[in-house]
Amino acid sequence: MENKYVLQISFLAAASIVGIVLTVYDKIAAKAARRHRIPEAVLMTAGLLFGAPAMYLTMRLIRHKTRKPKFSVGFPVIILLQIVIAAVLNIWVI
């Protein structure tokens, strides 16, 4: 495998892990009365930084923020945009 693909896969794995950790932590904090929650802006930013696929799956699995359109509609839109961006970059730039 070429180095550029190893780097891309490593970045996506790291972004996914961070997104999953943030989502699960926020779910745990939502149930505990004294825990600090993760701001929605931080969750959306993590999704925009290519963590959206893992965060969306985690969100659906643990049933967290599934009623909020910002997340239930926003993450699939972000995922589609990221697919388009990745395809364009792989065709034209890389």
Side-chain angles (χ1 to χ4, degrees):
M1 194 175 338
E2 291 183 39
N3 283 339
K4 70 177 181 179
Y5 295 123
V6 171
L7 192 60
Q8 289 173 352
I9 291 170
S10 298
F11 176 77
L12 290 174
S16 296
I17 290 168
V18 169
I20 290 169
V21 168
L22 289 173
T23 305
V24 171
Y25 177 84
D26 193 55
K27 171 70 174 192
I28 293 167
K31 288 189 173 195
R34 293 188 166 185
R35 292 247 174 134
H36 295 288
R37 300 283 306 271
I38 304 290
E40 288 186 355
V42 173
L43 293 172
M44 290 304 289
T45 301
L48 286 169
L49 295 174
F50 291 92
M55 291 177 77
Y56 182 72
L57 288 174
T58 303
M59 182 183 78
R60 302 294 294 179
L61 287 172
I62 65 174
R63 296 181 183 162
H64 185 56
K65 297 207 178 275
T66 55
R67 289 191 231 163
K68 292 194 171 224
K70 181 189 278 188
F71 294 96
S72 64
V73 175
F75 277 165
V77 169
I78 290 170
I79 293 167
L80 289 175
L81 289 173
Q82 290 173 347
I83 290 169
V84 170
I85 290 168
V88 168
L89 287 175
N90 278 321
I91 291 171
W92 289 341
V93 178
I94 300 174

